[in-house]
Amino acid sequence: MEIRRGGDGPPRGPVLHIVVVGFHHKKGCQVEFSYPPLIPGDGHDSHTLPEEWKYLPFLALPDGAHNYQEDTVFFHLPPRNGNGATIYGISCYRQIEAKALKVRQADITRETVQKSVCVLSKLPLYGLLQAKLQLITHAYFEEKDFSQISILKELYEHMNSSLGGTSLEGSQVYLGLSPRDLVLHFRHKVLILFKLILLEKKVLFYISPVNKLVGALMTVLSLFPGMIEHGLSDSSQYRPRKSMSEDAGLQESNPPADEFVSVPASDISNTNLGTVKKILGNHGGDAAIKTEEPLFQVEDDSSEQEASDSNQYLKPPSRPSPESSESDWETLDPTVLEDSSLKEREQVGSEQTNSFPKDSLPSDSPPITVQPQANTGQVVLIPGLISGLEEDQYGMPLAIFTKGYLCLPYMALQQHHLLSDVTIRGFVAGATNILFRQQKHLSDAIVEVEEALIQIHDPELRKLLNPTTADLRFADYLVRHVTENRDDVFLDGTGWEGGDEWIRAQFAVYIHALLAATLQLDNEKILSDYGTTFVTAWKNTHNYRVWNSNKHPALAEINPNHPFQGQYSVSDMKLRFSHSVQNSERGKKLGNVMVTTSRNVVQTGKAVGPLQNFA
């Protein structure tokens, strides 16, 4: 495969740049080397950065990195010039004692030298690139002479030649992302995380070091069918601040034409839906904080749009404000709302024949895309005319990370303003700096990975996500298969039942059934297993409306019933009690007291201890 080099032009392979970021004792984090140069025409040692990538040094060399000998970072950068898709960054950080260097440059004044080697790629091959990059980073540091850059140029050429024809289908996309480990750690709470993101809430993951953070966050996203492969291309569309003192976006005016975003027509279905509840209790004395914004942000259907025959375009406001932020990101065509119930009946009625007659819709309605069905045993992906993502016959991946909903696996402190930017609908982001965790009003939920805690600040949202009995069964099914097969799975996680691919398959079955259930007539009973209030809220989200604006004949073959529907039994009572004990503050205290009392009984033979005083 031919590779263009240096400043001759953009690479033909997936890797755009190899970058070295170092920490300077006076200048802080800065780019020390890039190949090809980040700015065409500049030298490889230029510190100059494209405006869109001004946070690159702080992402590649994470906050608090000096506390660790090595670390790995996944991060996302916005496309250059507002065009194109997300740029996927993988960075390997190491530090070395300055006295160990063979060649010590004059500006090295500290006892340790901290650097990161970073790959900027057009493909989300996180684990695969990380594995290659870790080897090269180790070799680069072993040289003990950072002027030896030939190995970095060879890395660039090798990656582009070896990954040039790489497909985004297959297990290599998920290398290093283990749902098995996620279920072992979060247990029943995994389904809460899944549903929280379906609702497009502001979710912040928190833990140190960064490799644990990005691993947990990206593994949760890998549970969504097609999300890693094709669902993140629009997940980092934000404009960096021009100065640290500038209020986000308020001084940005007259954006160029290439910053317009495509806004599709989609429809809302107002059907009543089912009930879902999931884990999350009040943790400790942490007082719940209710956000000032509405629980479910329903966008104003009267926003101005410039219509064309196939799509519309929406210009972001030159001076966004809290009052206008919702309508400015509007994604609905009001005409589609005129007879949504009729459309839903037509969708359900046509399931038996897999045919969708054109005359079933009012003549003045916008055309509805019918996604072609894949051949048996073959995955066919087509560009979604509304979502802009590569979709399969079921409409996967869902258009969650589009139109201002960000995915930032790692956020630098310099990006903190994005959490309150009114042009951003929401986010799934990761942070290691405690300042992010302390400002709870900027997020709907904080996921403390180390303790496997999910803090949801709004009591109404907590109720919305309380697990139904069927959901508890589903979560328990996952946990039992993962824990019972823990010692039997060869190479841990590579076996089928209870393994990584098996877990992803269970979530695919779950989301397909949930989508099919929303298309049924008289579906209140079916949806109650998923959670009526949850589904009602979900049907108001951008991702559901985009999905529902197309027809997906393949869903006619999907059973819409919850995978774990059934009559309430004694085992369900035990499961509910166990869930309540594990996730309420009083339950946790009782559990700790019982453990302490049991220890006393073993040691003294008497039931004395804290249990006597427990109230």
Side-chain angles (χ1 to χ4, degrees):
M1 178 178 188
E2 180 184 354
I3 302 294
R4 295 185 183 179
R5 312 186 179 221
D8 297 337
R12 294 182 179 178
V15 175
L16 299 174
H17 302 277
I18 302 294
V19 180
V20 175
V21 174
F23 183 83
H24 191 276
H25 66 285
K26 290 184 179 179
K27 302 176 182 178
C29 297
Q30 63 178 9
V31 170
E32 298 179 344
F33 169 84
S34 59
Y35 183 85
L38 296 177
I39 305 291
D42 283 3
H44 296 305
D45 58 351
S46 172
H47 303 315
T48 307
L49 289 167
E51 179 62 26
E52 299 88 346
W53 295 353
K54 63 185 296 183
Y55 302 126
L56 170 59
F58 311 104
L59 294 168
L61 196 60
D63 184 40
H66 61 278
N67 295 318
Y68 303 94
Q69 283 298 117
E70 55 185 290
D71 204 356
T72 302
V73 187
F74 300 159
F75 59 90
H76 293 165
L77 292 173
R80 299 279 297 275
N81 303 317
N83 297 321
T86 297
I87 304 301
Y88 306 96
I90 298 90
S91 173
C92 287
Y93 160 83
R94 288 177 67 95
Q95 62 175 320
I96 186 174
E97 291 185 354
K99 64 182 180 181
L101 295 175
K102 295 178 182 177
V103 178
R104 181 167 178 167
Q105 298 171 339
D107 59 353
I108 297 179
T109 60
R110 294 194 169 195
E111 294 182 358
T112 58
V113 178
Q114 301 159 5
K115 293 185 187 294
S116 289
V117 181
C118 175
V119 171
L120 301 182
S121 170
K122 295 186 290 185
L123 297 181
L125 298 170
Y126 303 98
L128 186 61
L129 292 174
Q130 175 190 353
K132 294 176 178 289
L133 187 57
Q134 283 178 329
L135 294 174
I136 297 301
T137 303
H138 178 77
Y140 182 54
F141 272 74
E142 284 300 306
E143 291 280 347
K144 296 181 173 60
D145 179 3
F146 295 121
S147 65
Q148 300 298 317
I149 58 175
S150 59
I151 190 174
L152 302 176
K153 295 181 179 181
E154 291 171 4
L155 172 65
Y156 171 82
E157 295 171 5
H158 167 72
M159 282 188 167
N160 274 321
S161 61
S162 62
L163 301 175
T166 298
S167 169
L168 283 178
E169 307 302 325
S171 59
Q172 62 181 355
V173 175
Y174 300 117
L175 184 64
L177 306 179
S178 175
R180 182 179 175 79
D181 291 340
L182 188 76
V183 172
L184 284 171
H185 187 61
F186 279 93
R187 300 180 70 83
H188 299 75
K189 300 178 186 179
V190 169
L191 190 55
I192 276 264
L193 295 174
F194 188 80
K195 288 190 165 184
L196 199 54
I197 295 173
L198 276 179
L199 292 178
E200 298 179 351
K201 294 301 176 182
K202 298 177 179 179
V203 184
L204 181 71
F205 285 69
Y206 177 83
I207 193 178
S208 292
V210 182
N211 67 83
K212 292 183 178 180
L213 174 74
V214 298
L217 189 152
M218 297 309 299
T219 300
V220 172
L221 297 190
S222 76
L223 301 177
F224 292 82
M227 186 63 72
I228 299 292
E229 302 96 311
H230 307 290
L232 301 177
S233 58
D234 196 34
S235 66
S236 62
Q237 297 281 356
Y238 64 84
R239 279 178 280 177
R241 234 176 184 168
K242 293 195 173 182
S243 68
M244 297 306 294
S245 61
E246 176 185 338
D247 187 46
L250 292 181
Q251 297 182 19
E252 306 243 358
S253 59
N254 300 323
D258 60 7
E259 289 186 2
F260 284 49
V261 290
S262 174
V263 176
S266 51
D267 63 326
I268 285 185
S269 178
N270 293 321
T271 315
N272 292 331
L273 313 118
T275 338
V276 186
K277 306 162 187 180
K278 189 62 224 129
I279 241 156
L280 280 213
N282 265 329
H283 301 293
D286 184 20
I289 299 176
K290 187 167 183 177
T291 54
E292 296 179 356
E293 57 190 57
L295 178 60
F296 305 111
Q297 300 174 352
V298 181
E299 298 161 311
D300 181 7
D301 296 333
S302 63
S303 63
E304 296 183 0
Q305 302 182 12
E306 300 176 12
S308 64
D309 291 339
S310 59
N311 54 37
Q312 296 94 11
Y313 294 89
L314 174 65
K315 182 177 180 179
S318 59
R319 293 181 60 84
S321 65
E323 291 77 11
S324 66
S325 62
E326 291 304 321
S327 60
D328 288 329
W329 284 107
E330 181 54 63
T331 58
L332 289 180
D333 182 342
T335 62
V336 187
L337 301 175
E338 294 175 358
D339 200 353
S340 60
S341 61
L342 173 62
K343 287 171 59 181
E344 183 167 352
R345 291 191 185 95
E346 290 163 350
Q347 286 176 330
V348 176
S350 61
E351 285 181 356
Q352 301 300 323
T353 60
N354 278 349
S355 63
F356 294 83
K358 293 181 180 179
D359 58 359
S360 64
L361 291 175
S363 59
D364 57 347
S365 296
I368 297 296
T369 304
V370 178
Q371 305 288 22
Q373 189 167 356
N375 296 328
T376 303
Q378 180 181 2
V379 177
V380 175
L381 298 172
I382 64 165
L385 297 182
I386 292 179
S387 70
L389 306 175
E390 293 288 322
E391 299 176 357
D392 66 10
Q393 70 268 32
Y394 302 107
M396 301 290 104
L398 294 172
I400 295 175
F401 296 102
T402 59
K403 299 296 182 290
Y405 191 80
L406 303 183
C407 174
L408 303 173
Y410 172 69
M411 283 189 74
L413 189 58
Q414 289 77 6
Q415 294 176 298
H416 184 270
H417 67 279
L418 293 176
L419 300 185
S420 55
D421 191 328
V422 295
T423 64
I424 291 174
R425 294 191 298 120
F427 53 81
V428 176
T432 59
N433 194 299
I434 195 171
L435 293 178
F436 285 95
R437 188 179 65 172
Q438 290 174 340
Q439 296 189 326
K440 297 179 180 180
H441 63 286
L442 296 178
S443 63
D444 296 313
I446 295 178
V447 181
E448 298 199 34
V449 179
E450 187 71 38
E451 296 81 12
L453 298 179
I454 308 173
Q455 297 184 27
I456 295 184
H457 316 317
D458 189 338
E460 294 302 317
L461 182 56
R462 282 201 299 274
K463 292 179 183 177
L464 201 69
L465 291 168
N466 262 341
T468 63
T469 298
D471 274 350
L472 280 177
R473 292 172 186 159
F474 173 72
D476 187 62
Y477 178 72
L478 297 177
V479 172
R480 281 190 292 106
H481 276 71
V482 168
T483 54
E484 289 174 2
N485 297 330
R486 187 171 187 177
D487 298 327
D488 300 329
V489 179
F490 181 66
L491 291 181
D492 195 29
T494 60
W496 171 241
E497 192 164 310
D500 292 337
E501 293 302 318
W502 180 85
I503 295 171
R504 292 190 186 98
Q506 305 313 306
F507 276 93
V509 169
Y510 183 95
I511 191 65
H512 289 162
L514 174 57
L515 288 166
T518 64
L519 301 180
Q520 302 296 308
L521 291 175
D522 301 322
N523 58 1
E524 288 83 0
K525 177 63 175 68
I526 297 176
L527 292 175
S528 65
D529 284 331
Y530 298 98
T532 303
T533 55
F534 165 78
V535 182
T536 302
W538 179 43
K539 292 181 79 171
N540 281 329
T541 63
H542 171 77
N543 73 80
Y544 179 83
R545 286 179 286 173
V546 169
W547 177 86
N548 197 40
S549 65
N550 289 343
K551 293 186 178 181
H552 309 282
L555 278 177
E557 302 175 3
I558 300 297
N559 183 350
N561 291 309
H562 195 292
F564 289 86
Q565 64 168 346
Q567 295 296 321
Y568 198 76
S569 65
V570 174
S571 61
D572 292 323
M573 295 175 61
K574 293 179 179 178
L575 190 59
R576 176 71 63 182
F577 176 76
S578 174
H579 163 75
S580 300
V581 168
Q582 292 176 11
N583 296 279
S584 68
E585 185 61 28
R586 183 175 176 83
K588 291 175 185 175
K589 290 179 179 179
L590 178 59
N592 292 333
V593 167
M594 292 183 69
V595 169
T596 304
T597 302
S598 299
R599 189 181 300 116
N600 290 336
V601 170
V602 171
Q603 293 175 352
T604 67
K606 298 179 180 179
V608 295
L611 191 58
Q612 292 178 321
N613 301 321
F614 186 81

